[in-house]
Structures are given as C-alpha cells and as structure tokens.
Coordinates of all heavy atoms in Angstrom, one line a residue:
K1 N -47.5 10.3 17.9 CA -46.1 10.1 18.3 C -45.7 8.7 18.2 O -46.3 7.9 18.6 CB -46.0 10.6 19.8 CG -44.6 10.9 20.3 CD -44.7 11.5 21.6 CE -43.3 11.7 22.1 NZ -43.2 12.4 23.4
S2 N -44.6 8.6 17.6 CA -44.1 7.2 17.3 C -43.5 6.6 18.6 O -42.8 7.2 19.3 CB -43.1 7.2 16.1 OG -42.5 6.0 16.0
R3 N -43.8 5.3 18.8 CA -43.2 4.5 19.8 C -42.0 3.8 19.4 O -41.4 3.1 20.3 CB -44.2 3.5 20.5 CG -45.4 4.2 21.1 CD -46.3 3.1 21.5 NE -47.5 3.8 22.2 CZ -47.6 3.7 23.6 NH1 -46.8 3.1 24.3 NH2 -48.6 4.3 24.1
I4 N -41.6 3.9 18.2 CA -40.4 3.2 17.7 C -39.2 3.9 18.3 O -39.0 5.1 18.1 CB -40.4 3.1 16.2 CG1 -41.6 2.4 15.6 CG2 -39.0 2.5 15.7 CD1 -41.7 2.5 14.2
K5 N -38.3 3.1 18.9 CA -37.0 3.7 19.4 C -36.0 3.9 18.3 O -36.0 3.2 17.4 CB -36.5 2.8 20.5 CG -37.3 2.8 21.8 CD -36.7 1.9 22.8 CE -37.5 1.9 24.0 NZ -36.9 1.0 25.2
S6 N -35.2 5.0 18.4 CA -34.3 5.2 17.4 C -33.1 4.2 17.6 O -32.8 3.7 18.6 CB -33.7 6.6 17.5 OG -33.0 6.8 18.7
T7 N -32.5 3.9 16.5 CA -31.4 3.0 16.4 C -30.1 3.8 16.1 O -30.2 4.9 15.6 CB -31.6 1.9 15.3 OG1 -31.6 2.5 14.0 CG2 -32.8 1.1 15.6
P8 N -28.9 3.2 16.2 CA -27.7 3.9 15.9 C -27.7 4.4 14.5 O -27.1 5.4 14.1 CB -26.6 2.9 16.2 CG -27.1 2.0 17.3 CD -28.7 1.9 16.9
H9 N -28.4 3.7 13.6 CA -28.4 4.1 12.2 C -29.2 5.3 11.9 O -29.0 5.9 10.9 CB -29.0 2.9 11.3 CG -28.1 1.7 11.4 ND1 -26.9 1.5 10.9 CD2 -28.4 0.5 12.0 CE1 -26.4 0.3 11.1 NE2 -27.3 -0.3 11.9
D10 N -30.0 5.7 12.9 CA -30.9 6.8 12.8 C -30.2 8.1 13.2 O -30.7 9.2 12.9 CB -32.2 6.7 13.6 CG -33.1 5.6 13.1 OD1 -33.1 5.3 11.8 OD2 -33.8 5.0 13.9
L11 N -29.0 8.0 13.8 CA -28.4 9.1 14.3 C -27.7 9.9 13.2 O -27.2 9.4 12.2 CB -27.2 8.7 15.3 CG -27.7 8.0 16.6 CD1 -26.5 7.5 17.4 CD2 -28.6 8.9 17.4
Q12 N -27.8 11.2 13.3 CA -27.2 12.1 12.3 C -26.0 12.9 12.9 O -26.1 13.2 14.1 CB -28.2 13.1 11.8 CG -29.5 12.5 11.1 CD -29.2 12.2 9.8 OE1 -28.4 12.9 9.1 NE2 -29.9 11.2 9.2
L13 N -25.0 13.0 12.1 CA -23.8 13.8 12.6 C -24.1 15.3 12.2 O -24.7 15.6 11.1 CB -22.6 13.4 11.9 CG -22.0 12.0 12.1 CD1 -20.8 11.7 11.3 CD2 -21.7 11.9 13.7
D14 N -23.7 16.2 13.1 CA -23.8 17.6 12.7 C -22.7 17.9 11.6 O -21.8 17.1 11.5 CB -23.7 18.5 13.9 CG -22.4 18.5 14.6 OD1 -21.4 19.0 14.0 OD2 -22.3 17.8 15.7
E15 N -22.9 19.0 11.0 CA -22.1 19.3 9.8 C -20.5 19.4 10.2 O -19.7 18.9 9.5 CB -22.5 20.6 9.1 CG -21.9 20.8 7.9 CD -22.5 22.0 7.1 OE1 -23.6 22.4 7.3 OE2 -21.8 22.5 6.2
L16 N -20.3 20.1 11.4 CA -18.9 20.3 11.8 C -18.2 18.9 12.1 O -17.1 18.7 11.7 CB -18.8 21.2 13.0 CG -17.4 21.5 13.6 CD1 -16.6 22.1 12.5 CD2 -17.5 22.3 14.8
T17 N -19.0 18.1 12.7 CA -18.4 16.8 13.1 C -18.2 16.0 11.8 O -17.1 15.3 11.7 CB -19.3 15.9 14.0 OG1 -19.6 16.7 15.1 CG2 -18.8 14.6 14.3
M18 N -19.1 16.1 10.8 CA -19.0 15.4 9.6 C -17.7 15.8 8.8 O -16.9 15.0 8.4 CB -20.2 15.5 8.7 CG -20.1 14.8 7.4 SD -21.2 15.4 6.1 CE -20.6 17.0 5.7
W19 N -17.5 17.1 8.7 CA -16.3 17.6 8.1 C -15.0 17.3 8.8 O -14.0 17.0 8.2 CB -16.4 19.1 7.8 CG -17.4 19.5 6.7 CD1 -18.6 20.0 6.8 CD2 -17.2 19.2 5.3 NE1 -19.2 20.1 5.6 CE2 -18.3 19.7 4.6 CE3 -16.1 18.6 4.6 CZ2 -18.5 19.5 3.2 CZ3 -16.2 18.5 3.2 CH2 -17.4 19.0 2.5
S20 N -15.1 17.2 10.1 CA -13.9 16.8 10.9 C -13.5 15.4 10.6 O -12.4 15.1 10.4 CB -14.2 17.0 12.3 OG -14.5 18.3 12.7
Y21 N -14.5 14.5 10.6 CA -14.2 13.1 10.2 C -13.7 13.0 8.8 O -12.8 12.2 8.5 CB -15.4 12.2 10.4 CG -15.7 11.9 11.8 CD1 -17.0 12.0 12.4 CD2 -14.7 11.5 12.7 CE1 -17.3 11.7 13.7 CE2 -15.0 11.2 14.0 CZ -16.3 11.3 14.5 OH -16.6 11.1 15.8
L22 N -14.2 13.7 7.8 CA -13.7 13.7 6.5 C -12.3 14.2 6.3 O -11.5 13.8 5.5 CB -14.6 14.4 5.6 CG -16.0 13.8 5.4 CD1 -16.9 14.7 4.5 CD2 -15.9 12.4 4.6
A23 N -12.0 15.2 7.2 CA -10.6 15.8 7.1 C -9.5 14.9 7.7 O -8.3 15.1 7.4 CB -10.6 17.1 7.9
L24 N -9.9 14.0 8.6 CA -8.8 13.2 9.2 C -8.0 12.4 8.3 O -6.8 12.4 8.4 CB -9.5 12.3 10.3 CG -9.9 12.9 11.6 CD1 -10.7 12.0 12.5 CD2 -8.7 13.4 12.3
P25 N -8.6 11.6 7.3 CA -7.7 10.9 6.4 C -6.8 11.8 5.5 O -5.7 11.5 5.2 CB -8.7 10.1 5.4 CG -10.0 10.3 6.0 CD -9.9 11.4 7.1
V26 N -7.3 13.0 5.2 CA -6.5 14.0 4.4 C -5.4 14.4 5.3 O -4.2 14.6 4.8 CB -7.4 15.1 3.9 CG1 -6.5 16.2 3.2 CG2 -8.5 14.6 3.0
Y27 N -5.6 14.8 6.5 CA -4.5 15.2 7.4 C -3.5 14.1 7.6 O -2.3 14.3 7.7 CB -5.1 15.7 8.7 CG -4.1 16.2 9.7 CD1 -3.4 17.3 9.4 CD2 -3.8 15.5 10.8 CE1 -2.4 17.9 10.2 CE2 -2.8 16.0 11.7 CZ -2.1 17.2 11.4 OH -1.2 17.6 12.2
A28 N -4.0 12.9 7.7 CA -3.1 11.7 7.9 C -2.2 11.5 6.7 O -1.0 11.3 6.8 CB -3.9 10.5 8.2
M29 N -2.7 11.7 5.5 CA -1.9 11.6 4.3 C -0.9 12.8 4.2 O 0.3 12.6 3.9 CB -2.8 11.8 3.0 CG -3.6 10.4 2.8 SD -4.7 10.5 1.4 CE -3.6 10.8 0.1
H30 N -1.3 14.0 4.7 CA -0.3 15.1 4.8 C 0.7 14.8 5.7 O 1.9 15.0 5.4 CB -1.1 16.3 5.2 CG -0.2 17.4 5.7 ND1 0.7 18.2 4.9 CD2 0.0 17.9 6.9 CE1 1.4 19.0 5.6 NE2 1.0 18.8 6.9
Q31 N 0.5 14.2 6.9 CA 1.5 13.9 7.8 C 2.4 12.9 7.3 O 3.7 13.0 7.6 CB 0.8 13.4 9.2 CG 0.1 14.5 10.0 CD 1.0 15.5 10.5 OE1 1.4 16.5 9.8 NE2 1.6 15.2 11.7
L32 N 1.9 11.9 6.6 CA 2.8 10.9 6.0 C 3.8 11.5 5.0 O 5.0 11.2 5.1 CB 2.0 9.8 5.3 CG 2.9 8.7 4.7 CD1 3.6 7.9 5.6 CD2 1.9 7.8 3.9
E33 N 3.3 12.4 4.2 CA 4.2 13.0 3.2 C 5.2 14.0 3.9 O 6.4 14.1 3.5 CB 3.4 13.9 2.2 CG 2.8 13.0 1.2 CD 2.3 13.8 0.0 OE1 1.9 15.0 0.2 OE2 2.5 13.3 -1.2
E34 N 4.8 14.7 4.9 CA 5.6 15.6 5.7 C 6.7 14.9 6.5 O 7.8 15.3 6.6 CB 4.8 16.5 6.6 CG 5.6 17.6 7.2 CD 4.7 18.5 8.0 OE1 3.5 18.2 8.3 OE2 5.2 19.6 8.4
H35 N 6.2 13.8 7.2 CA 7.2 13.2 8.1 C 7.6 11.8 7.6 O 8.5 11.2 8.2 CB 6.5 13.0 9.5 CG 6.1 14.3 10.1 ND1 7.1 15.1 10.6 CD2 4.8 14.8 10.2 CE1 6.4 16.1 11.1 NE2 5.1 16.0 10.9
G36 N 7.1 11.3 6.6 CA 7.5 10.0 6.1 C 7.9 10.0 4.7 O 8.9 10.8 4.4
Y37 N 7.3 9.4 3.8 CA 7.7 9.3 2.5 C 6.6 9.9 1.5 O 5.4 9.6 1.7 CB 7.9 7.8 2.0 CG 9.0 7.2 2.8 CD1 8.9 6.6 4.0 CD2 10.4 7.2 2.3 CE1 9.9 6.0 4.7 CE2 11.4 6.7 2.9 CZ 11.1 6.1 4.2 OH 12.2 5.5 4.9
D38 N 7.0 10.6 0.4 CA 6.0 11.1 -0.5 C 5.7 10.0 -1.5 O 6.2 8.9 -1.4 CB 6.5 12.4 -1.2 CG 7.7 12.3 -2.1 OD1 8.1 11.1 -2.3 OD2 8.1 13.3 -2.6
V39 N 4.9 10.4 -2.5 CA 4.4 9.3 -3.5 C 5.6 8.8 -4.4 O 5.5 7.8 -5.0 CB 3.4 9.9 -4.4 CG1 2.1 10.1 -3.6 CG2 3.7 11.1 -5.1
Y40 N 6.7 9.5 -4.3 CA 8.0 9.2 -5.1 C 9.0 8.4 -4.3 O 10.1 8.1 -4.7 CB 8.6 10.4 -5.8 CG 7.7 11.1 -6.7 CD1 7.1 12.3 -6.4 CD2 7.3 10.4 -7.9 CE1 6.3 12.9 -7.3 CE2 6.4 11.1 -8.9 CZ 5.9 12.3 -8.5 OH 5.1 12.9 -9.3
G41 N 8.6 8.1 -3.0 CA 9.5 7.4 -2.1 C 10.6 8.3 -1.5 O 11.6 7.7 -0.9
R42 N 10.5 9.6 -1.6 CA 11.5 10.5 -0.9 C 11.1 10.7 0.5 O 10.1 11.1 0.8 CB 11.6 11.7 -1.7 CG 12.0 11.6 -3.2 CD 11.8 12.8 -4.0 NE 10.4 13.3 -4.1 CZ 10.0 14.2 -4.9 NH1 10.8 14.8 -5.7 NH2 8.7 14.5 -4.9
R43 N 12.1 10.5 1.4 CA 11.9 10.7 2.8 C 12.0 12.1 3.2 O 13.0 12.7 2.7 CB 13.0 9.9 3.6 CG 12.8 10.0 5.1 CD 12.5 8.7 5.8 NE 12.6 8.8 7.2 CZ 11.6 8.9 8.0 NH1 10.4 9.0 7.6 NH2 11.8 9.0 9.3
Y44 N 11.1 12.7 3.9 CA 11.1 14.0 4.4 C 11.3 15.0 3.3 O 12.0 16.1 3.4 CB 12.3 14.3 5.4 CG 11.9 13.9 6.9 CD1 12.5 12.8 7.5 CD2 11.0 14.7 7.6 CE1 12.1 12.5 8.8 CE2 10.6 14.4 8.9 CZ 11.3 13.3 9.5 OH 11.0 13.0 10.8
H45 N 10.7 14.8 2.1 CA 10.9 15.6 1.0 C 10.3 17.0 1.2 O 10.7 18.0 0.6 CB 10.3 15.0 -0.3 CG 10.7 15.8 -1.5 ND1 11.9 16.0 -2.0 CD2 9.9 16.6 -2.3 CE1 11.9 16.8 -3.0 NE2 10.7 17.1 -3.2
F46 N 9.3 17.1 2.1 CA 8.7 18.5 2.4 C 9.8 19.4 2.9 O 9.8 20.6 2.5 CB 7.6 18.4 3.4 CG 7.1 19.7 3.8 CD1 6.2 20.4 3.0 CD2 7.4 20.2 5.0 CE1 5.7 21.7 3.4 CE2 6.9 21.5 5.4 CZ 6.1 22.2 4.5
I47 N 10.7 18.9 3.7 CA 11.8 19.8 4.1 C 12.7 20.3 2.9 O 13.0 21.5 2.9 CB 12.7 19.0 5.1 CG1 11.9 18.7 6.4 CG2 14.0 19.8 5.5 CD1 12.7 17.8 7.3
T48 N 13.0 19.5 2.0 CA 13.8 19.8 0.8 C 13.0 20.8 -0.1 O 13.5 21.9 -0.5 CB 14.1 18.6 0.0 OG1 14.8 17.7 0.8 CG2 15.0 19.0 -1.2
Y49 N 11.8 20.5 -0.2 CA 10.8 21.4 -1.1 C 10.7 22.8 -0.4 O 10.8 23.8 -1.1 CB 9.5 20.8 -1.1 CG 8.5 21.6 -1.8 CD1 8.4 21.7 -3.2 CD2 7.4 22.3 -1.0 CE1 7.4 22.5 -3.8 CE2 6.6 23.1 -1.7 CZ 6.5 23.2 -3.0 OH 5.6 24.0 -3.7
F50 N 10.5 22.8 0.9 CA 10.4 24.1 1.6 C 11.7 24.9 1.6 O 11.8 26.1 1.2 CB 9.9 23.9 3.1 CG 9.8 25.2 3.8 CD1 8.6 25.8 3.9 CD2 10.8 25.8 4.5 CE1 8.4 27.0 4.6 CE2 10.6 26.9 5.2 CZ 9.4 27.6 5.3
N51 N 12.8 24.2 2.0 CA 14.1 24.9 2.0 C 14.6 25.4 0.7 O 15.2 26.4 0.6 CB 15.1 24.0 2.7 CG 14.9 23.8 4.2 OD1 14.2 24.6 4.8 ND2 15.4 22.7 4.7
E52 N 14.3 24.7 -0.4 CA 14.7 25.2 -1.7 C 13.7 26.2 -2.3 O 14.1 26.9 -3.1 CB 14.8 23.9 -2.7 CG 15.9 23.0 -2.3 CD 16.0 21.8 -3.3 OE1 15.0 21.6 -4.1 OE2 16.9 21.0 -3.2
G53 N 12.5 26.2 -1.8 CA 11.5 27.1 -2.4 C 11.5 28.4 -1.8 O 10.8 29.4 -2.3
F54 N 12.0 28.7 -0.6 CA 11.9 29.9 0.0 C 13.3 30.5 0.0 O 14.3 29.9 0.3 CB 11.4 29.8 1.6 CG 10.0 29.6 1.6 CD1 9.4 28.3 1.5 CD2 9.1 30.6 1.8 CE1 8.1 28.1 1.5 CE2 7.7 30.4 1.8 CZ 7.2 29.1 1.7
P55 N 13.3 31.9 -0.1 CA 14.6 32.6 -0.2 C 15.4 32.5 1.2 O 14.8 32.5 2.2 CB 14.2 34.1 -0.4 CG 12.8 34.1 -0.8 CD 12.2 32.8 -0.3
S56 N 16.6 32.3 1.0 CA 17.5 32.2 2.3 C 17.5 33.5 3.1 O 17.8 33.5 4.3 CB 18.9 31.9 1.9 OG 19.4 32.8 1.1
E57 N 17.0 34.6 2.5 CA 16.9 35.9 3.3 C 16.0 35.8 4.5 O 16.1 36.5 5.4 CB 16.5 37.0 2.4 CG 17.3 37.3 1.2 CD 16.8 36.6 0.0 OE1 15.6 36.6 -0.3 OE2 17.6 36.0 -0.7
L58 N 15.0 34.8 4.4 CA 14.1 34.7 5.5 C 14.8 34.1 6.7 O 14.3 34.3 7.8 CB 12.9 33.7 5.1 CG 12.0 34.3 4.0 CD1 11.0 33.2 3.6 CD2 11.2 35.5 4.5
G59 N 15.9 33.4 6.5 CA 16.6 32.8 7.6 C 15.9 31.6 8.2 O 16.1 31.3 9.4
I60 N 15.0 30.9 7.4 CA 14.3 29.8 7.9 C 14.8 28.6 7.2 O 14.8 28.6 6.0 CB 12.7 30.0 7.7 CG1 12.2 31.2 8.5 CG2 12.0 28.7 8.1 CD1 10.8 31.5 8.1
Q61 N 15.3 27.6 7.9 CA 15.6 26.3 7.4 C 14.9 25.3 8.2 O 15.2 25.1 9.4 CB 17.1 26.1 7.4 CG 17.9 27.0 6.5 CD 17.6 26.5 5.0 OE1 17.8 25.4 4.6 NE2 17.2 27.5 4.2
L62 N 14.0 24.6 7.6 CA 13.3 23.5 8.3 C 14.2 22.2 8.6 O 15.1 21.9 7.8 CB 12.1 23.0 7.5 CG 10.9 24.0 7.4 CD1 9.8 23.3 6.6 CD2 10.4 24.5 8.8
T63 N 14.0 21.7 9.7 CA 14.7 20.4 10.0 C 13.5 19.5 10.6 O 12.5 19.9 11.0 CB 15.7 20.6 11.1 OG1 15.1 21.1 12.4 CG2 16.8 21.6 10.7
P64 N 13.8 18.2 10.7 CA 12.8 17.3 11.3 C 12.4 17.8 12.7 O 11.2 17.7 13.2 CB 13.5 15.9 11.3 CG 14.4 16.0 10.1 CD 14.9 17.4 10.1
T65 N 13.4 18.2 13.5 CA 13.1 18.6 14.8 C 12.3 19.9 14.8 O 11.3 19.9 15.7 CB 14.5 19.0 15.6 OG1 15.3 17.8 15.6 CG2 14.2 19.4 17.0
L66 N 12.5 20.8 14.0 CA 11.7 22.0 13.9 C 10.3 21.7 13.6 O 9.3 22.3 14.1 CB 12.3 23.1 13.0 CG 11.6 24.5 12.9 CD1 11.4 25.1 14.3 CD2 12.3 25.3 11.9
I67 N 10.1 20.9 12.5 CA 8.8 20.5 12.1 C 8.0 19.7 13.2 O 6.8 20.0 13.4 CB 8.8 19.5 10.9 CG1 9.2 20.3 9.6 CG2 7.5 18.8 10.6 CD1 9.4 19.5 8.4
T68 N 8.6 18.9 14.0 CA 8.0 18.3 15.1 C 7.6 19.3 16.2 O 6.5 19.2 16.7 CB 9.0 17.2 15.8 OG1 9.4 16.3 14.8 CG2 8.3 16.6 17.0
I69 N 8.4 20.3 16.5 CA 8.1 21.3 17.4 C 6.9 22.1 16.9 O 5.9 22.4 17.7 CB 9.3 22.2 17.8 CG1 10.3 21.4 18.5 CG2 8.8 23.4 18.5 CD1 11.6 22.1 18.6
I70 N 6.9 22.5 15.6 CA 5.7 23.3 15.1 C 4.5 22.5 15.2 O 3.4 23.0 15.6 CB 6.1 23.7 13.7 CG1 7.2 24.6 13.6 CG2 4.8 24.2 12.9 CD1 7.7 25.0 12.2
N71 N 4.5 21.2 14.8 CA 3.3 20.4 14.9 C 2.8 20.2 16.3 O 1.6 20.3 16.6 CB 3.6 19.1 14.2 CG 3.4 19.1 12.7 OD1 2.5 19.7 12.3 ND2 4.3 18.4 12.1
L72 N 3.6 19.9 17.2 CA 3.3 19.8 18.6 C 2.7 21.0 19.2 O 1.6 20.9 19.9 CB 4.5 19.4 19.5 CG 5.0 17.9 19.4 CD1 6.2 17.7 20.1 CD2 3.9 16.9 19.7
V73 N 3.2 22.1 18.9 CA 2.7 23.4 19.5 C 1.5 23.9 18.7 O 0.4 24.2 19.3 CB 3.9 24.5 19.6 CG1 3.2 25.9 20.0 CG2 5.0 24.1 20.4
C74 N 1.7 24.0 17.4 CA 0.5 24.7 16.6 C -0.5 23.9 16.3 O -1.7 24.3 16.2 CB 1.2 25.3 15.4 SG 2.5 26.6 15.7
V75 N -0.3 22.6 16.0 CA -1.4 21.7 15.6 C -2.0 20.9 16.8 O -3.2 21.0 17.1 CB -0.9 20.7 14.5 CG1 -2.0 19.7 14.1 CG2 -0.4 21.5 13.3
H76 N -1.2 20.0 17.4 CA -1.7 19.2 18.4 C -2.0 20.0 19.7 O -2.9 19.5 20.4 CB -0.7 18.1 18.7 CG -0.4 17.2 17.4 ND1 -1.4 16.3 16.9 CD2 0.6 17.2 16.6 CE1 -0.9 15.8 15.8 NE2 0.3 16.2 15.6
G77 N -1.4 21.1 19.9 CA -1.7 21.9 21.0 C -3.1 22.4 20.9 O -3.8 22.6 21.9
Q78 N -3.6 22.7 19.7 CA -5.0 23.1 19.5 C -6.0 22.1 19.9 O -7.0 22.3 20.5 CB -5.2 23.5 18.0 CG -4.5 24.7 17.6 CD -4.8 25.0 16.2 OE1 -6.0 24.8 15.7 NE2 -3.8 25.5 15.4
F79 N -5.7 20.8 19.6 CA -6.5 19.7 20.1 C -6.7 19.7 21.6 O -7.8 19.5 22.1 CB -6.0 18.3 19.6 CG -6.1 18.1 18.1 CD1 -4.9 17.8 17.4 CD2 -7.3 18.3 17.4 CE1 -5.0 17.6 16.0 CE2 -7.3 18.1 16.0 CZ -6.2 17.8 15.3
A80 N -5.6 19.8 22.2 CA -5.6 19.8 23.7 C -6.4 21.1 24.3 O -7.2 21.0 25.2 CB -4.2 19.9 24.3
Y81 N -6.2 22.2 23.6 CA -6.9 23.4 24.0 C -8.4 23.3 23.8 O -9.2 23.7 24.6 CB -6.3 24.6 23.2 CG -7.0 25.9 23.5 CD1 -6.7 26.6 24.7 CD2 -8.0 26.4 22.7 CE1 -7.3 27.8 25.0 CE2 -8.6 27.6 23.0 CZ -8.2 28.4 24.2 OH -8.9 29.5 24.4
Y82 N -8.8 22.8 22.6 CA -10.3 22.8 22.3 C -11.0 21.6 22.8 O -12.2 21.5 22.7 CB -10.5 22.9 20.8 CG -10.2 24.3 20.3 CD1 -9.1 24.5 19.5 CD2 -11.0 25.3 20.6 CE1 -8.8 25.8 19.0 CE2 -10.7 26.6 20.1 CZ -9.7 26.9 19.4 OH -9.4 28.1 18.9
A83 N -10.3 20.6 23.4 CA -10.9 19.4 23.9 C -11.7 19.7 25.2 O -11.6 20.5 25.9 CB -9.9 18.3 24.2

C-alpha cells in the first residue's frame, strides 16, 4: 500500500461531470447568439430566424420577453430542481 498522498492533479472527473464542463462553453456561445449578437453582428437574430422559419399557422411569434421566460422556466429552472 502506497503512503503517497494524492494531489489535486491525481483527481479524476466522472464522465457526466466531464461532459457537463465541456458543454458549458457551447451553451454560453448559444446564449450569446440567442440573446446577443450572432457571428454576422445581427442582434437577436434567432428571433428573426425562428419567426420567419415557422409557419404562421402555429401562432407562435418569439419575442425577447418570451425567450427569457422560456429560458428561466425550462432551462434555468432545471438547474434549481436538480441542484
């Protein structure tokens, strides 16, 4: 049995934690494009893309307020639930 104590460099992340950390920058980039500017400098372009891409028969028109509500309830609410 080794008497050498483990160091922080010896610690291993479990697979779920590793994938969670890798997903964070991707999610942050998605949030920037959705709520900020896309790579072409268009503000809130996701709203235009969504609203022009879905038939008006659905009766869904995204707005910055609606996207914020969806994110708070569906995305960030999950973090609070699973914490």
Side-chain angles (χ1 to χ4, degrees):
K1 194 172 181 180
S2 174
R3 292 178 177 253
I4 300 172
K5 293 183 178 180
S6 65
T7 66
H9 300 291
D10 295 332
L11 297 176
Q12 298 277 332
L13 294 176
D14 63 73
E15 190 172 340
L16 180 60
T17 303
M18 180 195 68
W19 283 110
S20 297
Y21 283 133
L22 290 174
L24 282 173
V26 174
Y27 182 67
M29 288 177 63
H30 161 72
Q31 288 293 88
L32 178 64
E33 281 195 326
E34 185 177 13
H35 299 287
Y37 296 90
D38 68 3
V39 294
Y40 300 108
R42 299 174 294 197
R43 178 116 169 103
Y44 275 109
H45 186 67
F46 175 75
I47 294 172
T48 305
Y49 175 79
F50 182 91
N51 289 341
E52 289 176 356
F54 284 85
S56 59
E57 303 91 48
L58 293 176
I60 300 171
Q61 289 291 305
L62 289 183
T63 64
T65 302
L66 182 57
I67 288 178
T68 302
I69 292 169
I70 291 169
N71 278 318
L72 286 173
V73 174
C74 297
V75 177
H76 300 290
Q78 291 181 38
F79 291 124
Y81 178 78
Y82 288 108

